[in-house]
Amino acid sequence: MKLIIQIDRKLTIMPYLSILLSFMILCFGAINVQDLYAGESVVVYSGRAERLIKPVLDHFEKTTGTKVQLLTAGSTELVNRLRAEGTRTPADVFIANEAGALELARGLHLLQPITLPSVATTIPAPFRAPDNSWIGLSGRIWMIVYNTKLVDPSTIHSLLDLATPAWKGKLAIPSANSEYLQDGASIILAAKGEKAVEAFLQGIRDNAGNEVYGKNRQIVDAVAKGKVALGIVNHYYIFRHLANDPKAPIAPLITDQAEGGMGAIMNVAGIGLTAQTKHVSTAHQLIEFLMSPPGQEMFAHINKEYPVNAKVPSDPELPPSSSFRTSTIPLTRLAELREPIIQEIQRLGLR
Amino acid sequence: MGLGIAGLLTFPLAYVVYSALTGDLSQAGNLWNTRLPELLTNTFSLALGVSLTTLTLGVSTAWVITRYQFWGRGFWDWGFVLPLAIPSFVLAYVYTYLLDTAGPVEQAWQWLTYPEARIPSPYSFTGALVVMTLNTFPYVYLLARAAFQNFNLSFEEAAQATGATRWETFFRVSLPLIRPALVASMFLVVLYVVSDFGAVSLLRFQTFTFAIYQQITGRFDYQSAALLSLLLVLFALLFVFAERWFRNQSRFYQTSGRVRTATPKPCSLAQGLAINVVFVLILGAAFGLPVLLLVQWTVSAWIQGDVGVAFGTYIGNSVFLSAIAATAALALGTPLAYLASRFPSTLHVACLQGAYIGYVLPGPVAALALLMLFSTMIPILYGTVLVLIIAYLIHYLPAGLQAMESALQQVNPNLEEAARNLGAKGIRTFMQITFPLVRKGFSAAWLLLFLLCMKELPATLLLRPIGFDTLAVRIWLEASEELYQLAAPPALLIVILTIPAVFLLSKKNWQAGDASVQ
């Protein structure tokens, strides 16, 4: 009899045991993940599409034996995450697809200067933060993609020309929440002033109508199929399309090249060293690799972007970077212009 | 204990309210002028539109299946539940591919009509309406089917005997009589629509939940996000109270002891064929076609060698997280549901009701609250799986609670009292008497929770630890890059892993009272 009662007693603690057990598993999971941060490893927060960055990091992992842990999300989203995490962040480096996010992170004191001596010799000054908290790794240019059967390119000299009523119903633009559109408009704002950017945004909004696309690739597709005559995109989408389909009736057009003009709008993808990192030397190792010619080739060429390291030639299918002029507005200004330009884009009701 | 659990679940909401109302409120005016009108119109019109379309689709399919005898009826009976296995964002990404400019549908349409013909863009109200309808009509179907099955035929016969036509009978007698089921299913559909994040963001349709996510990710503006969340939660709560009120208002009783349910009428061959054609079209759009595309993409991704060992990890992570969250939800939910149904003191019922708050708290909002809470107050746990599991608990425990509550209510308290009279203590009574009796119901609750957690996206995106990608996260990352082939294998895996759960859920005869099928 006693025995049975004892067994019953044991049974009564079952719910407690199960709760305890699940919490133990939970904590084990928690500790397990925390543990991963230790050791010869570098934690990368990346706003760059995983298919573009993963092969490069895999190569680094293979050649150096340093474990790379990757968290992919939106560039701005990661700035927010870094800020929310504060001193507890596990991130060692932050890779973003545009300078605006990097500069935003620097302004929030989330980054620290990269003290590698090679930075000054490899990365031209306009493409890095004044204190080297972040450096650009690859450049992308805003180009107009036009259908060669529908557009005479000699009629377009500036991006601002696209806002004229002549292009009504013929233009495709990126959607309002695209960081590229925000950065591009920011540079126009800085170069030409508030009136000009308002007219530009209003004009392209009216001309594009429903032809607003979430992806640059779709804009190039639409132009190639003749659905629209032209569109604004990052250059590599045009060249990627041409690489797949060399006969497509599309061509790139670099604008604003006139003497004293704004210059083509350029942005960089880059990397920053987090203020909280405890793995400065491994992080430096990764940054050094990404600046080196093999790293630059992998990082930029995988997406047909322009390597920032001048010693590394750009993809032969691209127009050489010496053949055009880019905007002289410092990329560091993108951060301070971000909020005003989002407000303006929202106010004008771009989709 | 119940208080503690309810507290854990409601605290994040309290924190959102607190952070929305402290600090600079001038932002609120700004928000009111810029975003709110659009968000309000979009959210409400989508909820209303999807309600109407799902009601039509769900009730008519349920009616035909319960009232007519035709070839293939046995399959359709559970077949219409299958769309529940497809997460909304997977359906959305399949449809963006299909309906995009120069996509397959537009090309087919141009071939049929003229070369310049355009179809409506999927990135619009129409797109969101189609996807959300196809994704949620099974809820209406399930509840309407159950209602029609338990329907007393005498009412209809009385109507027809007094000269009403068949249409009049349907609209004036049958439909009003299953109103509780319809209201309950509308409740599910509307809450699903307003809290959906994945589909509307892939379709770029600005609703509250999407806007909240954008505020959290696109800018560093947690206060606006908190304000929007607060508004959304208030609307949802209003809706919940309206539903409760309605449920209490309308009680239908059998007038005589004898209930006669309808026997399905045999159909002619042509009728049966017509029914099958229409059903194939509906289920094809909601399940067949998407799954076929996923299979095709998966095969081509497989051939190109894009399906690597990493998938083992993603499956492991998804299953690990969902299983732990479902187990923890049962462990935490049991005392809440038990105390409230056996000792319904104000406190106990309040605890239970408090836990339901999570129902109206969309994923990004719960994630936002936890993000703010853990990063400022308990930073040591931030970035661990624990935070993610708490987010799942807050969001999905209510769904499990409802299933558990109804299971407990079916156990006669006399049995427990007898055990107690014989000297058994509370816990022992529960383990030896109650638990074996509710085991089936609790298993269903566990499955439901598991299924929901597998499909969860926004909280996982915002709170996942580094290197801890789940199947849902992989789908999202690849689909937002429009890499359809790479997004397909994890999507197909989720569908395959959730089909058994969905199938089991479809076997249960759902009543309007347990609106937990979400």
Side-chain angles (χ1 to χ4, degrees):
Chain A
M1 196 61 192
K2 243 183 179 167
L3 190 74
I4 295 171
I5 289 171
Q6 266 179 348
I7 291 171
D8 281 345
R9 280 253 168 77
K10 267 182 197 151
L11 271 179
T12 58
I13 46 171
M14 279 298 280
Y16 294 117
L17 262 183
S18 64
I19 293 173
L20 199 72
L21 195 72
S22 50
F23 270 98
M24 269 165 59
I25 299 170
L26 288 187
C27 295
F28 174 73
I31 290 162
N32 211 9
V33 171
Q34 291 267 314
D35 256 2
L36 290 174
Y37 304 154
E40 265 304 284
S41 74
V42 56
V43 176
V44 177
Y45 278 15
S46 159
R48 196 167 165 86
E50 210 166 289
R51 88 200 130 82
L52 300 181
I53 191 71
K54 192 95 190 344
V56 187
L57 296 178
D58 283 349
H59 181 85
F60 173 75
E61 201 172 80
K62 225 181 277 162
T63 49
T64 59
T66 305
K67 176 128 184 57
V68 180
Q69 291 187 313
L70 176 63
L71 180 83
T72 303
S75 291
T76 316
E77 184 181 345
L78 286 172
V79 176
N80 284 341
R81 185 161 175 152
L82 281 170
R83 180 161 157 180
E85 287 170 349
T87 54
R88 295 273 317 165
T89 186
D92 299 311
V93 293
F94 169 43
I95 294 176
N97 244 355
E98 30 105 32
L102 288 164
E103 183 59 19
L104 219 56
R106 185 175 78 100
L108 294 167
H109 310 289
L110 300 171
L111 303 179
Q112 60 172 306
I114 301 166
T115 52
L116 288 170
S118 49
V119 165
T121 54
T122 354
I123 311 292
F127 304 136
R128 53 184 154 94
D131 64 352
N132 294 345
S133 281
W134 57 265
I135 58 167
L137 291 172
S138 67
R140 60 250 324 256
I141 315 287
W142 252 24
M143 288 187 190
I144 290 177
V145 54
Y146 66 93
N147 187 302
T148 47
K149 294 176 192 153
L150 301 171
V151 175
D152 171 11
S154 66
T155 55
I156 305 164
H157 304 287
S158 165
L159 269 181
L160 304 186
D161 293 345
L162 296 182
T164 57
W167 298 112
K168 192 159 181 70
K170 296 177 181 167
L171 174 73
I173 57 169
S175 70
N177 52 5
S178 129
E179 281 148 345
Y180 315 128
L181 180 78
Q182 294 165 7
D183 283 347
S186 299
I187 289 178
I188 297 178
L189 173 62
K192 303 263 182 178
E194 256 172 62
K195 280 256 152 29
V197 81
E198 186 181 346
F200 172 72
L201 289 172
Q202 242 165 4
I204 63 169
R205 176 197 67 192
D206 294 344
N207 288 344
N210 283 328
E211 303 295 331
V212 179
Y213 293 83
K215 300 281 159 191
N216 279 196
R217 183 190 60 72
Q218 298 168 320
I219 298 182
V220 178
D221 271 356
V223 173
K225 295 209 168 82
K227 291 207 173 300
V228 287
L230 38 67
I232 311 170
V233 291
N234 276 328
H235 73 272
Y236 44 86
Y237 291 98
I238 310 175
F239 296 97
R240 270 182 6 204
H241 190 101
L242 284 172
N244 285 333
D245 177 13
K247 288 200 197 96
I250 56 169
L253 179 67
I254 305 173
T255 55
D256 299 279
Q257 295 299 307
E259 200 58 45
M262 174 170 70
I265 290 178
M266 178 176 176
N267 204 338
V268 293
I271 188 167
L273 182 66
T274 64
Q276 305 296 338
T277 176
K278 292 178 190 72
H279 307 106
V280 177
S281 64
T282 31
H284 273 171
Q285 208 185 354
L286 175 63
I287 295 170
E288 189 86 70
F289 166 70
L290 292 173
M291 288 192 299
S292 72
Q296 277 280 284
E297 255 174 45
M298 290 188 78
F299 192 91
H301 288 191
I302 194 170
N303 198 30
K304 293 191 185 300
E305 291 176 56
Y306 288 97
V308 166
N309 183 340
K311 289 192 208 93
V312 182
S314 52
D315 188 300
E317 286 165 34
L318 301 177
S321 53
S322 54
S323 68
F324 55 87
R325 224 163 45 75
T326 56
S327 144
T328 51
I329 306 292
L331 292 173
T332 47
R333 290 202 56 197
L334 289 176
E336 68 193 74
L337 295 169
R338 177 62 66 85
E339 195 54 33
I341 209 73
I342 291 182
Q343 300 268 358
E344 184 72 358
I345 287 173
Q346 275 184 0
R347 187 179 68 82
L348 294 173
L350 270 79
R351 299 183 16 190
Chain B
M1 185 170 176
L3 206 60
I5 297 166
L8 174 79
L9 296 175
T10 46
F11 192 53
L13 180 69
Y15 196 75
V16 168
V17 176
Y18 167 78
S19 49
L21 298 179
T22 51
D24 185 15
L25 275 176
S26 67
Q27 192 62 28
N30 200 6
L31 214 58
W32 186 261
N33 293 329
T34 53
R35 303 295 306 279
L36 273 183
E38 188 199 3
L39 294 180
L40 282 174
T41 337
N42 283 357
T43 312
F44 278 108
S45 57
L46 187 65
L48 188 69
V50 176
S51 298
L52 292 176
T53 50
T54 50
L55 212 53
T56 318
L57 210 54
V59 170
S60 52
T61 47
W63 175 261
V64 171
I65 281 174
T66 47
R67 292 307 177 88
Y68 293 94
Q69 182 66 52
F70 52 94
W71 187 82
R73 178 166 168 265
F75 165 74
W76 295 113
D77 189 39
W78 59 268
F80 277 123
V81 187
L82 285 175
L84 290 184
I86 302 189
S88 68
F89 50 96
V90 171
L91 201 65
Y93 102 68
V94 167
Y95 271 88
T96 53
Y97 163 79
L98 285 172
L99 300 177
D100 210 350
T101 319
V105 173
E106 187 164 281
Q107 279 175 3
W109 181 240
Q110 287 170 345
W111 182 77
L112 279 172
T113 55
Y114 59 99
E116 299 300 307
R118 298 293 300 266
I119 54 167
S121 160
Y123 304 105
S124 62
F125 176 75
T126 324
L129 181 73
V130 168
V131 167
M132 297 307 289
T133 300
L134 291 176
N135 205 227
T136 53
F137 85 88
Y139 297 134
V140 186
Y141 165 75
L142 270 177
L143 289 164
R145 188 189 66 174
F148 282 135
Q149 274 167 353
N150 303 324
F151 190 86
N152 193 346
L153 211 57
S154 327
F155 294 111
E156 280 180 15
E157 283 165 352
Q160 278 179 345
T162 51
T165 65
R166 270 161 69 186
W167 282 105
E168 275 173 345
T169 314
F170 178 75
F171 281 105
R172 296 180 54 189
V173 177
S174 316
L175 218 48
L177 276 174
I178 63 157
R179 213 159 48 195
L182 298 185
V183 172
S185 58
M186 281 304 93
F187 174 73
L188 279 178
V189 167
V190 168
L191 282 187
Y192 190 96
V193 170
V194 297
S195 67
D196 176 74
F197 157 77
V200 288
S201 53
L202 282 177
L203 298 167
R204 296 204 302 276
F205 187 70
Q206 296 278 347
T207 62
F208 262 98
T209 306
F210 182 29
I212 291 165
Y213 186 79
Q214 283 178 319
Q215 292 287 348
I216 306 172
T217 57
R219 301 158 146 200
F220 197 79
D221 193 1
Y222 285 1
Q223 204 203 346
S224 295
L227 270 171
L228 287 175
S229 307
L230 185 60
L231 266 178
L232 177 59
V233 170
L234 283 179
F235 288 136
L237 277 177
L238 262 176
F239 184 71
V240 171
F241 287 133
E243 195 262 349
R244 291 256 147 145
W245 178 81
F246 183 88
R247 218 199 281 172
N248 292 335
Q249 286 290 305
S250 56
R251 296 228 178 267
F252 297 98
Y253 299 103
Q254 298 294 348
T255 43
S256 70
R258 216 167 130 257
V259 178
R260 262 186 342 102
T261 51
T263 31
K265 256 189 284 182
C267 285
S268 71
L269 197 65
Q271 282 171 325
L273 198 67
I275 290 174
N276 270 298
V277 168
V278 174
F279 280 8
V280 165
L281 286 177
I282 297 173
L283 195 66
F287 185 78
L289 188 61
V291 169
L292 269 181
L293 272 173
L294 290 181
V295 170
Q296 189 202 330
W297 284 329
T298 304
V299 169
S300 67
W302 184 281
I303 290 169
Q304 286 169 18
D306 287 329
V307 186
V309 273
F311 276 93
T313 328
Y314 306 145
I315 298 173
N317 288 349
S318 277
V319 171
F320 168 80
L321 267 182
S322 310
I324 288 191
T327 312
L330 279 198
L332 296 181
T334 306
L336 281 184
Y338 187 73
L339 291 177
S341 67
R342 290 297 180 268
F343 312 101
S345 67
T346 322
L347 180 69
H348 289 157
V349 174
C351 286
L352 184 76
Q353 297 292 344
Y356 276 100
I357 291 258
Y359 227 170
V360 298
L361 212 59
V365 183
L368 169 71
L370 289 176
L371 193 84
M372 296 196 290
L373 249 168
F374 276 91
S375 59
T376 51
M377 292 185 184
I378 327 168
I380 189 142
L381 288 177
Y382 177 80
T384 66
V385 194
L386 190 63
V387 185
L388 202 48
I389 287 171
I390 296 179
Y392 288 175
L393 282 179
I394 293 172
H395 196 33
Y396 292 132
L397 182 58
L401 268 180
Q402 264 177 336
M404 289 155 77
E405 240 189 307
S406 64
L408 278 171
Q409 275 159 5
Q410 280 162 17
V411 176
N412 194 332
N414 291 344
L415 292 173
E416 294 166 7
E417 276 157 25
R420 265 193 293 276
N421 287 340
L422 291 172
K425 291 248 165 55
I427 298 264
R428 185 172 161 202
T429 310
F430 181 81
M431 285 315 293
Q432 294 197 312
I433 307 292
T434 321
F435 188 71
L437 288 171
V438 297
R439 209 172 49 203
K440 256 191 165 166
F442 276 35
S443 312
W446 192 91
L447 269 177
L448 178 74
L449 289 161
F450 180 80
L451 183 147
L452 291 171
C453 295
M454 289 286 286
K455 298 200 287 183
E456 208 288 333
L457 182 64
T460 320
L461 274 179
L462 286 168
L463 298 172
R464 78 200 138 116
I466 297 138
F468 197 88
D469 284 358
T470 64
L471 289 173
V473 167
R474 289 317 303 178
I475 300 170
W476 174 256
L477 288 180
E478 309 290 11
S480 43
E481 287 290 317
E482 295 202 324
L483 301 168
Y484 297 114
Q485 299 191 342
L486 292 181
L492 197 61
L493 276 169
I494 286 200
V495 174
I496 292 169
L497 286 171
T498 46
I499 278 184
V502 165
F503 184 73
L504 284 175
L505 289 175
S506 81
K507 288 287 163 203
K508 187 171 184 280
N509 194 0
W510 295 97
Q511 300 291 322
D514 42 54
S516 54
V517 216
Q518 193 181 2

